[in-house]
Amino acid sequence: MDKPTPTYPLLEQIVLPSDLRQLNEDQLQQVCTELRDFIIDLVSVKGGHFGASLGVVELTVALHYVFNTPYDQLVWDVGHQAYGHKILTGRREVFHTNRIHKGLSGFPKRSESEYDTFGVGHSSTSIGGALGMAVASKLKGEKDRHCVAIIGDGAMTAGQAFEALNHAGGAGTDMLVILNDNCMSIDPNVGALKEYLTDITTSHTYNKVKDDVWNLLGKISKFGPNAQAIAQKVENAVKSALLKQSNLFESLQFRYFGPVDGHDVDHLVKVLRDLRDIPGPKILHTITKKGKGYAPAEAGSPTVWHAPGLFNKETGEIIKVVPKSPQPPKYQDVFGHSIVELAEKNPKIVGVTPAMPSGCSLNIMMKAMPDRAFDVGIAEQHAVTFSAGMATQGMVPFCNIYSSFMQRAYDQVVHDVALQNLNVVFCLDRGGLAGADGPTHHGNFDFAYFRCIPNMVVSAPMNEEELRNLMYTAQLPDQGPFSIRYPRGEGVMTEWKTPFKAIKVGTGRKVRSGTDIAVLSIGHIGNIAAKGIDALEKEGFSVAHYDMRFVKPIDEMLLHEVFGKFKHVITIEDHAIMGGMGSAVLEFMGDHGYSAHVKRMGVADKWIEHGTQKELYAECGYDDVALVAAVKEMLGENKGIKSAIA
Ligand SMILES: Cc1ncc(C[n+]2csc(CCOP(=O)(O)OP(=O)(O)O)c2C)c(N)n1
């Protein structure tokens, strides 16, 4: 029987980068074509990040071709663009499990592969990570080991990236930073750095110097051991240009090379070979296009094609499942529309997002009120301090940051906002288990990390109406620091445009009465708990349900009622068990001398991998099924039937 024609003839010969390195240089373009097709074929039917990986296909192939990976260390920033890297490093055959429960992670992960040198998901860590590796190599005497950070122009806007450049440049460390410039973050990149990179790309001076530099670099391989001398000449050439135009990276003592076409794999191979042999800190500026090589993505919005979901790869049509009946909106969209409504009435309200306008839906306000809504770049710390500054002047900033990214800005929350008791409203999006993005993006810690900060109000709505009312309450005069956290995805109310009403801070509400046991929930997970309680009622259990709304101040009146009436209490939250709402309830019980059997349901003290939210709630044991089981375990299987008979 004839062998079937391989779909990806060259790619299928590559299990590891060592196989890639066996190929001739003139085969690399074909590898790029096949790698791109492979990504398109799989992401179109499985979903995931898309545009960024297509944009670095040539860079990925060239890096693994030139560098001796995994001995040489490639450090990808954010990691959403590393699909090509994964496919070339032993994971092609299992790539169809990408982002699926128990499958490959959507981001580089040390435990997954020795080629994944640094776990990532949050941005702007690559330069610092690679610098640490380079310094460690030097200390260990590994003179032949190369460390390369690959960072996008969006990720480069973060202070952390500049902190690392500053350190590396000052220390003169041998390392290469590749600045992959596609002018895009998820949304269009913002700020002065973006303008600067555009200027440098189009500057005649630099293009002239670039040619001089390449001429010199062309000689470097011939010079071999004299690389240092050549490097000096390169430096002088660039420095002479600096007299005419200063270069930001040069002033940080990096040697700057480029810009080069990041889609010309042959040229990239030559350039990387040359740079590999130049000592000291170097930066190579590559110009790429997000979605490169897939016409609908190149022609369409890079924001949409960042992670488009499933699509028909022939037509480029993004597949949208049209529900038969109206569905509840996403919490994100309720936030986006409600802030505009509130801001129309209250001129002090402003909106702030660190680079997530589409993700958190602040883009609705940016469109409606461009002067009052700010995308500050990937700069969570700055977003918080900037909000604090505005709050000192009587503005009411709604600073919307994903729960896991807020971890970056903890000191700013403590020092700049809470200590000064400023009225900044923190809207924590993606609170709880975030789903397919996995542990880097789960927002499991915010109740715990905010609850211990004096002045901070910590709240979470159970539905759209509560989100709107909490937002309304938070902008009333003199509220101080106020956090409102909600999960990724849809709420529960199709009719969600409810009139705004103030909620008394620190009050929960009784959702349903009962006599056998009390379930205390916080946030959206309360709806899933309610499903379990429905099932339990059908079996004859009488379960009281309270929606706490606030973790802090916690509703003490409500808790006196609960502990006065019930010997069995369950707390349930989409959050780490340690330090969250359940912990606050236990503290109350201890402080007031109550005694009851309290079971806390939430995320145990371990890392939770990726999967759908539903899969993860089940895995972590706090979905409706787990609640039914927990109630039965606490009360005894037949308690419901007995109480029904009695
Ligand atoms: C600390 C942090 N904030 C926000 C994000 C969300 N995020 C993921 S990718 C991305 C854009 C990155 O842009 P860039 O570095 O230019 O890479 P590109 O997608 O353009 O290749 C953002 C904002 C994140 N991953 N980490």
Side-chain angles (χ1 to χ4, degrees):
M1 227 172 63
D2 288 344
K3 270 193 164 175
T5 328
T7 321
Y8 315 99
L10 277 183
L11 199 60
E12 286 172 31
Q13 293 175 32
I14 302 168
V15 176
L16 293 171
S18 48
D19 304 317
L20 172 73
R21 295 195 276 269
Q22 299 302 313
L23 300 179
N24 292 327
E25 260 176 74
D26 60 9
Q27 293 176 292
L28 295 183
Q29 277 189 23
Q30 180 59 26
V31 174
C32 291
T33 306
E34 291 180 22
L35 184 57
R36 189 164 266 125
D37 287 347
F38 188 92
I39 294 172
I40 296 169
D41 287 348
L42 267 182
V43 177
S44 61
V45 294
K46 296 283 179 186
H49 289 106
F50 185 63
S53 276
L54 286 198
V56 295
V57 161
E58 286 78 12
L59 199 50
T60 307
V61 170
L63 280 165
H64 279 293
Y65 193 70
V66 170
F67 287 94
N68 180 25
T69 54
Y71 181 69
D72 289 341
Q73 307 275 289
L74 301 185
V75 186
W76 297 93
D77 207 280
V78 186
H80 62 306
Q81 79 290 51
Y83 289 9
H85 158 84
K86 290 203 169 206
I87 293 160
L88 293 178
T89 53
R91 288 166 276 183
R92 178 170 43 79
E93 299 253 327
V94 285
F95 196 70
H96 60 278
T97 68
N98 185 38
R99 290 166 61 90
I100 290 172
H101 195 215
K102 314 252 186 234
L104 284 184
S105 162
F107 297 96
K109 195 175 174 117
R110 280 170 63 81
S111 56
E112 196 176 282
S113 164
E114 60 179 332
Y115 292 87
D116 293 0
T117 58
F118 206 57
V120 69
H122 289 199
S123 86
S124 317
T125 59
S126 61
I127 305 176
L131 173 60
M133 292 170 195
V135 168
S137 282
K138 192 172 169 198
L139 291 173
K140 291 195 286 176
E142 297 160 341
K143 295 207 173 82
D144 55 344
R145 195 171 208 177
H146 300 282
C147 297
V148 185
I150 306 108
I151 183 167
D153 56 303
M156 192 61 112
T157 59
Q160 195 180 1
F162 277 88
E163 290 165 29
L165 283 177
N166 180 47
H167 180 186
T173 317
D174 291 342
M175 69 180 293
L176 173 62
V177 174
I178 297 183
L179 171 58
N180 175 45
D181 182 2
N182 54 25
C183 285
M184 286 297 295
S185 189
I186 294 179
D187 293 270
N189 201 7
V190 292
L193 181 68
K194 175 194 135 157
E195 304 299 331
Y196 175 74
L197 293 176
T198 308
D199 280 356
I200 224 174
T201 307
T202 48
S203 144
H204 293 304
T205 313
Y206 258 85
N207 288 331
K208 158 90 179 68
V209 172
K210 184 183 69 177
D211 292 342
D212 294 349
V213 167
W214 296 134
N215 287 340
L216 282 167
L217 283 175
K219 294 178 196 154
I220 215 155
S221 39
K222 284 178 228 137
F223 277 75
N226 288 336
Q228 181 87 45
I230 294 292
Q232 195 55 55
K233 283 194 183 174
V234 171
E235 191 166 355
N236 291 343
V238 175
K239 281 207 173 124
S240 72
L242 291 181
L243 296 173
K244 297 177 202 135
Q245 180 187 330
S246 67
N247 177 290
L248 176 67
F249 303 103
E250 290 283 341
S251 55
L252 289 167
Q253 312 211 12
F254 268 71
R255 294 198 182 101
Y256 170 90
F257 300 97
V260 295
D261 175 1
H263 296 305
D264 182 344
V265 69
D266 299 326
H267 189 219
L268 281 177
V269 164
K270 288 188 182 66
V271 170
L272 289 174
R273 270 201 194 117
D274 289 338
L275 292 186
R276 193 182 53 187
D277 299 329
I278 297 180
K282 302 152 294 245
I283 188 156
L284 174 65
H285 185 179
T286 61
I287 306 297
T288 59
K289 190 169 174 51
K290 257 182 147 166
K292 176 75 179 177
Y294 183 62
E298 284 198 47
S301 150
T303 305
V304 170
W305 287 95
H306 181 81
L310 309 188
F311 57 93
N312 178 331
K313 72 168 180 162
E314 309 302 338
T315 62
E317 192 192 338
I318 294 174
I319 298 165
K320 289 219 164 73
V321 185
V322 184
K324 290 202 185 83
S325 54
Q327 291 300 302
K330 291 185 174 152
Y331 282 106
Q332 295 50 54
D333 291 340
V334 175
F335 162 81
H337 289 292
S338 303
I339 191 173
V340 173
E341 274 177 69
L342 289 169
E344 276 162 356
K345 296 197 190 77
N346 180 351
K348 292 182 173 161
I349 290 179
V350 286
V352 177
T353 171
M356 301 306 285
S358 301
C360 80
S361 296
L362 192 72
N363 56 1
I364 299 171
M365 184 180 188
M366 287 166 74
K367 195 158 168 229
M369 306 176 167
D371 296 343
R372 289 168 62 189
F374 305 90
D375 175 357
V376 301
I378 309 183
E380 288 76 12
Q381 300 179 327
H382 165 64
V384 172
T385 304
F386 169 61
S387 299
M390 286 197 286
T392 63
Q393 303 306 306
M395 307 304 284
V396 183
F398 277 65
C399 181
N400 191 313
I401 303 188
Y402 286 16
S403 167
S404 80
F405 302 152
M406 180 59 97
Q407 290 156 198
R408 288 248 160 126
Y410 193 59
D411 181 60
Q412 286 71 14
V413 172
V414 172
H415 177 270
D416 300 338
V417 177
L419 184 55
Q420 310 194 79
N421 203 19
L422 294 169
N423 187 193
V424 174
V425 184
F426 295 111
C427 292
L428 297 192
D429 197 325
R430 270 60 165 185
L433 294 174
D437 282 333
T440 54
H441 285 59
H442 294 329
N444 293 351
F445 309 125
D446 49 41
F447 292 155
Y449 67 57
F450 271 2
R451 196 163 78 78
C452 54
I453 304 175
N455 295 341
M456 180 67 78
V457 171
V458 181
S459 72
M462 184 166 149
N463 55 37
E464 292 83 344
E465 183 180 16
E466 273 185 10
L467 172 56
R468 283 167 64 78
N469 290 342
L470 285 168
M471 287 176 69
Y472 174 75
T473 306
Q475 52 87 55
L476 293 172
D478 304 323
Q479 290 299 323
F482 200 119
S483 76
I484 307 170
R485 76 96 90 145
Y486 45 89
R488 176 193 195 103
E490 287 80 24
V492 286
M493 298 173 67
T494 42
E495 298 294 323
W496 59 273
K497 276 211 162 189
T498 50
F500 289 116
K501 269 198 311 240
I503 294 180
K504 190 162 184 294
V505 171
T507 60
R509 68 185 173 108
K510 191 192 283 178
V511 180
R512 141 174 22 204
S513 303
T515 53
D516 294 338
I517 188 166
V519 172
L520 314 183
S521 67
I522 178 92
H524 177 82
I525 200 77
N527 301 295
I528 295 166
K531 262 175 73 183
I533 295 170
D534 282 344
L536 285 160
E537 292 228 324
K538 287 201 184 103
E539 290 192 45
F541 290 92
S542 174
V543 182
H545 182 191
Y546 298 85
D547 163 24
M548 297 302 293
R549 291 199 294 219
F550 294 87
V551 178
K552 183 185 165 184
I554 200 149
D555 189 340
E556 298 214 337
M557 291 254 289
L558 183 154
L559 289 182
H560 279 299
E561 177 184 321
V562 166
F563 285 107
K565 273 194 191 163
F566 296 94
K567 285 287 153 223
H568 300 285
V569 175
I570 290 182
T571 65
I572 181 163
E573 58 198 308
D574 185 11
H575 183 275
I577 285 181
M578 288 171 85
M581 183 269 285
S583 294
V585 168
L586 281 184
E587 286 165 23
F588 173 90
M589 185 178 84
D591 289 348
H592 293 83
Y594 287 111
S595 108
H597 180 190
V598 179
K599 179 175 171 60
R600 289 173 297 153
M601 299 177 74
V603 183
D605 183 21
K606 62 178 186 187
W607 294 108
I608 307 304
E609 300 301 336
H610 55 284
T612 62
Q613 282 160 304
K614 197 166 183 290
E615 284 164 339
L616 298 180
Y617 297 154
E619 180 184 310
C620 294
Y622 60 89
D623 65 352
D624 48 333
V625 177
L627 180 68
V628 169
V631 166
K632 288 183 177 173
E633 197 188 316
M634 279 176 102
L635 296 181
E637 190 76 28
N638 298 320
K639 170 77 167 100
I641 297 168
K642 277 196 220 122
S643 72
I645 295 165

